[in-house]
Amino acid sequence: MFRRKLTALDHQQPGNVDVTDEKQFRVLVVWLEDQKIRHYRIEDRAQLRAVDSPEWNGAFIKYVQELNCPVSYENRQVVTDWLLGYAVRLEYGDNVDKYKHITAASLLQENGKPKVQSANPLDNLDFDDSDFKAGVMSLATLLAVPPHHDHKEVMKALCMLISERFSKAAIENARKEKDTKAESIPLEKTELGFETGDYISNEAAKILRLLHIQELRDLQTQINEAIVAVQAITANPKTDERLGKVGR
């Protein structure tokens, strides 16, 4: 029933949305708000995103009232159709230059082209699915990543942490340093060099300073490795007597 509008909005599963299912309806409303309507600021979407909360209906009623929805929120089919139409209007308004040249003929020509199926499973992943959100939060807990109200921001932090700490080079370095006792310096004994007037700000500044020093040490190590590599080429010339010159 809503396939065309969902397709126009680039929904990942336009043919598999059943708004008579309460859970699917709630997830669709959250997807529309997060991706297309964006009536609330990100930090104000918490109640609407809590799709399993018994208070969700109250948050939804408030939401459609703020959007000045003219139809009854009790009729899921009708209110879904209105929300989708509203989202389509906003999408067009935000991208007028993109859509104003599209005609029925151009769409028929485009649809006639063979579609390339992506082999990347992430392309078909629903990032707003409740199971995906739960998996992100579980992984964040396992890796001690601080929580955030937006699960996508948590996912970005996880990607950065994994790429930095679990890369091949990082694992090799960890194995080499396994038997090396690292010197631990208590944060309270670390000198900041200036005062912000706030204890929490001072502690945060100390951490940032230590991280910056670590980055400088890593950079110096890379510079030293580059110098050694260049010296291995230039500082050990070989003599070729047949050519009558010195050098490689």
Side-chain angles (χ1 to χ4, degrees):
M1 179 177 179
F2 307 112
R3 178 189 292 269
R4 288 192 300 173
K5 290 181 180 179
L6 287 170
T7 301
L9 294 170
D10 296 324
H11 193 274
Q12 294 179 339
Q13 298 177 326
N16 297 324
V17 177
D18 180 11
V19 296
T20 60
D21 181 284
E22 184 66 17
K23 183 65 173 290
Q24 291 191 40
F25 172 75
R26 295 183 179 187
V27 170
L28 176 61
V29 171
V30 174
W31 181 83
L32 287 172
E33 169 59 19
D34 281 342
Q35 303 297 324
K36 304 299 177 181
I37 298 177
R38 297 187 287 274
H39 175 69
Y40 291 144
R41 295 179 300 177
I42 293 177
E43 57 269 23
D44 295 333
R45 300 174 189 169
Q47 289 185 328
L48 204 61
R49 285 174 172 170
V51 295
D52 295 320
S53 171
E55 306 296 330
W56 189 89
N57 276 323
F60 173 68
I61 293 172
K62 178 184 176 184
Y63 177 63
V64 293
Q65 288 175 345
E66 291 184 6
L67 294 179
N68 295 319
C69 176
V71 300
S72 173
Y73 59 83
E74 295 179 352
N75 190 323
R76 296 305 201 211
Q77 299 278 352
V78 175
V79 75
T80 298
D81 187 64
W82 185 87
L83 286 172
L84 289 173
Y86 183 65
V88 169
R89 292 196 299 274
L90 292 176
E91 179 73 8
Y92 178 80
D94 291 340
N95 301 278
V96 175
D97 293 334
K98 175 182 176 181
Y99 296 115
K100 67 181 181 180
H101 300 297
I102 297 178
T103 63
S106 64
L107 284 176
L108 289 173
Q109 183 179 2
E110 183 68 22
N111 292 334
K113 296 179 181 179
K115 295 183 178 179
V116 178
Q117 297 293 333
S118 175
N120 187 352
L122 294 178
D123 291 338
N124 299 318
L125 189 62
D126 183 3
F127 293 99
D128 292 306
D129 184 76
S130 57
D131 290 337
F132 176 80
K133 294 179 181 179
V136 170
M137 295 308 172
S138 297
L139 186 58
T141 301
L142 181 64
L143 297 179
V145 172
H148 191 276
H149 62 269
D150 188 346
H151 68 284
K152 295 178 182 178
E153 293 299 323
V154 178
M155 189 64 188
K156 291 179 183 179
L158 288 171
C159 291
M160 293 174 63
L161 176 64
I162 291 173
S163 62
E164 179 181 344
R165 299 291 180 88
F166 296 95
S167 64
K168 185 177 180 180
I171 292 174
E172 290 179 354
N173 290 335
R175 288 173 177 172
K176 292 178 181 178
E177 298 174 359
K178 184 177 180 181
D179 298 328
T180 302
K181 293 183 178 179
E183 183 180 356
S184 178
I185 302 176
L187 189 61
E188 59 271 13
K189 294 184 178 180
T190 303
E191 295 293 335
L192 179 58
F194 60 91
E195 287 293 331
T196 65
D198 179 72
Y199 173 77
I200 296 178
S201 298
N202 285 344
E203 297 299 290
K206 289 180 182 180
I207 294 172
L208 290 174
R209 185 184 183 197
L210 291 173
L211 290 173
H212 180 60
I213 293 173
Q214 180 63 42
E215 289 180 350
L216 291 178
R217 292 182 61 184
D218 292 340
L219 177 61
Q220 185 62 56
T221 299
Q222 294 174 5
I223 293 173
N224 292 341
E225 291 174 350
I227 293 174
V228 171
V230 172
Q231 288 179 340
I233 298 174
T234 60
N236 185 28
K238 292 184 178 180
T239 302
D240 191 337
E241 297 178 351
R242 293 173 300 172
L243 298 177
K245 65 180 181 179
V246 177
R248 291 178 180 266

